[in-house]
Amino acid sequence: MAEKLMKFADAVKKYDPVVGLEVHVELSTKTKLFCPAEVRFGGEPNTQLTPVSLGLPGSLPVVNKTAIDYAIKLGLALHCDIAEWSQFARKNYFYPDMPRDYQISQYDKPLNGNGYLDVELENGDIFRVPIERAHVEDDAGKNTHVGGADGRIEGADHSLVDYNRAGVPLVEIVTKPITGIRERAAEVAGAYVRTIRGIARALNISHARMEQGNMRADVNVSLRKSPDDPLGTRSETKNVNSFRGIEKTIIYEIRRQAALLEDGGEVLQETRHWDEASQTTAGGRLKTDADDYRYFPDPDLVMVHVTQDHIDELAAQMPEMPRERRNRLQKEWGFSDLEMRDVVNADALDLVEETVKAGAQASGARKWWLGEIARSANEQGKSLDDMGIAPADVARVEALVAEGKLNDKLAKQTVAGVLAGEGDPDQVVKTHGYEVVSDDGALEAEVDKALAANPDIVEKLKSGNMKPMGAIIGAVMKATRGQADAKAVTAIVMKRIK
């Protein structure tokens, strides 16, 4: 049964939305957090395991130093206080994908705390998101439900468990309540998570690919009558793994909760799940408080001690952060604010930069990645970097255009050939004979034919009316299968009508 919803504009006028985000970032270490099992996406199920990651009796965990260093770097980027002493605790609950029956996390003594992140919104405004903590924990495994619709547990006749991901290190970044956002709630949340991903990639600590599950978010939403009122009861939508899903979850929950409160109902403190197919959230289990997890210090792990000298050493290794990098590249490329936002929103910044490094002009690189390649990616439901065309290929197409060997139409056909797996640009051009007709004699012959067939157009051109020039160029293009150079054709026509 469909839930009642209030119009979003009405909901944010009547109620003050408060959002909280818990972003999980898997760290790209070679081994797991507490054991030497390999970390690798897409391996055969249940092959990346050790007795520690399976929680077998007698097995003892040892902390992965690289994971701690990665987490400290992330904490520095989030302007957190780095604790000299932090502690791992056991978080007790049963899930079939957690073989120990408890998770090793950090509770009252996290590694990173009390930070913030400034995010840039669509119109250029800067919004500061307060961060409560960024603690280290190990990930759970993965359930695959068989027999139900869309892989969901509802209607499934059995489930399969892959423990490969169990024990993979991750950092959970928990915001403080994000207030004062009203109608921009979804925009702020989307910009925040995009910024987190950019930072993780800049630090080279995570692949941060949401579609692979190594970055995801739990989305908390509550409503209250006014900013002066206490926080309302929140829902928590678990494991949302796309930016658009995060934004739509927030909008849906604001509409759902507003309609419920308006009818005198009560919002349940519960976990929910985002259903991409129906564009709705669905209720799960009632949400427990932290006390119900029975946290206690893990007796098998000593406290983590981080010296200020080590923090300073890691701080000296910090790369340029995404916002500063964007500003620098925008200035170098001469892009407008809108052009740069389009590149960032298309997740094409790295690709455009690599294309420019390979020799292309920034404007040309932007045109291809946000034009033909983006359209093809959208049609196939893929990301740009999964399209099978490299920045060097795009730069080569641009070079062929600059050399006069390809016109715009042939360049598009060449890109299409590379996307179709026909080889690099030079191979595609050679296979299809795409090069521009550069033989002056051949072009002149085709121009003469076109002029002879269109005497009325010739008279207009001679009288100074250049509008019909396109018809002559079109006729020559048709005769040469689109391989004529439009500028060369125009020059020949102008010579003929003098």
Side-chain angles (χ1 to χ4, degrees):
M1 181 179 175
E3 293 178 295
K4 186 176 179 181
L5 304 175
M6 182 183 290
K7 288 183 179 179
F8 181 75
D10 294 338
V12 294
K13 284 180 182 177
K14 288 176 175 285
Y15 297 96
D16 179 44
V18 178
V19 171
L21 295 165
E22 301 165 24
V23 179
H24 299 76
V25 180
E26 278 189 358
L27 303 178
S28 55
T29 53
K30 293 180 179 179
T31 57
K32 294 185 179 181
L33 183 55
F34 300 116
C35 73
E38 180 186 15
V39 173
R40 177 169 49 86
F41 179 78
E44 284 294 315
N46 297 310
T47 57
Q48 297 157 218
L49 302 171
T50 68
V52 174
S53 55
L54 284 173
L56 296 182
S59 61
L60 293 174
V62 177
V63 177
N64 184 329
K65 179 182 179 296
T66 301
I68 298 299
D69 285 352
Y70 282 4
I72 292 172
K73 287 183 177 181
L74 184 54
L76 290 170
L78 299 175
H79 307 95
C80 289
D81 298 328
I82 313 299
E84 180 181 1
W85 294 94
S86 61
Q87 187 175 51
F88 284 101
R90 294 187 181 183
K91 180 181 180 183
N92 292 272
Y93 57 83
F94 173 74
Y95 286 132
D97 53 3
M98 183 59 75
R100 286 189 303 262
D101 292 351
Y102 62 85
Q103 182 182 31
I104 301 178
S105 183
Q106 292 184 318
Y107 178 46
D108 57 339
K109 296 180 177 64
L111 180 63
N112 305 306
N114 194 34
Y116 67 87
L117 184 61
D118 291 332
V119 299
E120 185 173 350
L121 305 182
E122 279 288 328
N123 65 352
D125 287 350
I126 303 299
F127 188 95
R128 176 162 291 185
V129 176
I131 293 172
E132 178 73 33
R133 54 199 281 142
H135 62 267
V136 186
E137 62 187 23
D138 63 351
D139 208 348
K142 180 182 179 181
N143 293 320
T144 300
H145 306 297
V146 182
D150 301 321
R152 296 176 62 84
I153 193 169
E154 291 83 5
D157 50 46
H158 67 282
S159 298
L160 303 175
V161 184
D162 178 7
Y163 288 130
N164 280 350
R165 197 174 65 186
V168 170
L170 62 80
V171 174
E172 180 177 346
I173 307 164
V174 182
T175 68
K176 297 177 182 178
I178 306 172
T179 60
I181 45 180
R182 291 287 182 178
E183 70 279 357
R184 304 187 81 173
E187 182 188 0
V188 168
Y192 169 75
V193 181
R194 286 184 176 92
T195 305
I196 293 285
R197 180 185 62 172
I199 289 172
R201 289 182 173 179
L203 293 172
N204 197 28
I205 63 171
S206 174
H207 303 300
R209 299 190 64 166
M210 299 192 81
E211 74 277 8
Q212 292 186 359
N214 43 50
M215 182 171 165
R216 52 196 188 272
D218 298 340
V219 181
N220 296 269
V221 178
S222 66
L223 300 181
R224 56 186 176 180
K225 274 290 187 180
S226 81
D228 298 324
D229 290 336
L231 296 176
T233 302
R234 64 186 171 90
S235 66
E236 180 182 6
T237 305
K238 303 287 288 186
N239 294 323
V240 187
N241 66 349
S242 72
F243 300 120
R244 188 64 64 190
I246 290 167
E247 293 164 350
K248 289 183 176 180
T249 291
I250 291 172
I251 292 171
Y252 182 86
E253 277 299 293
I254 289 173
R255 296 180 65 195
R256 181 187 72 85
Q257 292 183 26
L260 191 60
L261 293 172
E262 198 69 7
D263 287 345
E266 180 181 355
V267 176
L268 296 177
Q269 183 171 320
E270 62 178 347
T271 63
R272 296 180 71 86
H273 303 279
W274 172 250
D275 185 347
E276 185 65 33
S278 65
Q279 300 284 287
T280 63
T281 64
R285 61 182 175 85
L286 292 180
K287 177 66 177 176
T288 54
D289 293 319
D291 291 345
D292 295 322
Y293 289 123
R294 304 188 311 284
Y295 283 99
F296 64 88
D298 193 305
D300 292 334
L301 290 163
V302 298
M303 293 188 74
V304 177
H305 182 220
V306 181
T307 65
Q308 187 59 50
D309 285 345
H310 189 58
I311 295 172
D312 293 342
E313 180 185 342
L314 293 174
Q317 301 171 12
M318 296 288 282
E320 183 180 35
M321 287 293 99
R323 189 174 163 203
E324 288 72 27
R325 177 187 172 215
R326 281 201 309 273
N327 292 339
R328 173 179 59 81
L329 290 175
Q330 181 177 351
K331 185 176 180 181
E332 289 177 5
W333 296 343
F335 285 0
S336 68
D337 290 345
L338 179 59
E339 287 172 333
M340 197 64 178
R341 279 201 298 273
D342 286 345
V343 170
V344 172
N345 290 341
D347 198 19
L349 188 64
D350 291 343
L351 295 167
V352 171
E353 184 180 25
E354 290 302 314
T355 305
V356 172
K357 287 180 179 178
Q361 294 294 315
S363 57
R366 179 184 177 277
K367 176 190 74 173
W368 287 112
W369 287 111
L370 271 62
E372 298 301 313
I373 303 172
R375 275 193 288 274
S376 184
N378 290 334
E379 289 172 0
Q380 298 178 46
K382 292 183 176 180
S383 61
L384 290 176
D385 51 9
D386 282 335
M387 288 302 294
I389 185 169
D393 293 329
V394 176
R396 179 57 182 155
V397 171
E398 277 289 284
L400 291 170
V401 173
E403 294 165 8
K405 294 180 179 178
L406 293 179
N407 57 26
D408 189 58
K409 179 180 178 181
L410 294 175
K412 289 179 181 179
Q413 292 173 333
T414 300
V415 168
V418 177
L419 292 173
E422 297 176 6
D424 63 33
D426 290 297
Q427 290 172 318
V428 173
V429 168
K430 183 177 180 181
T431 298
H432 295 278
Y434 279 157
E435 280 200 44
V436 165
V437 175
S438 55
D439 185 309
D440 289 343
L443 276 184
E444 288 177 354
E446 294 302 336
V447 169
D448 289 341
K449 289 179 185 177
L451 293 175
N454 296 279
D456 54 331
I457 291 179
V458 173
E459 291 304 317
K460 290 178 182 178
L461 294 174
K462 285 182 176 180
S463 68
N465 181 1
M466 293 293 110
K467 289 183 179 179
M469 179 68 78
I472 300 299
I473 294 173
V476 176
M477 285 292 186
K478 183 177 181 180
T480 60
R481 295 185 301 133
Q483 292 176 250
D485 184 295
K487 290 181 181 179
V489 172
T490 301
I492 295 170
V493 172
M494 295 305 293
K495 281 168 51 179
R496 293 291 193 267
I497 64 173
K498 281 184 178 179

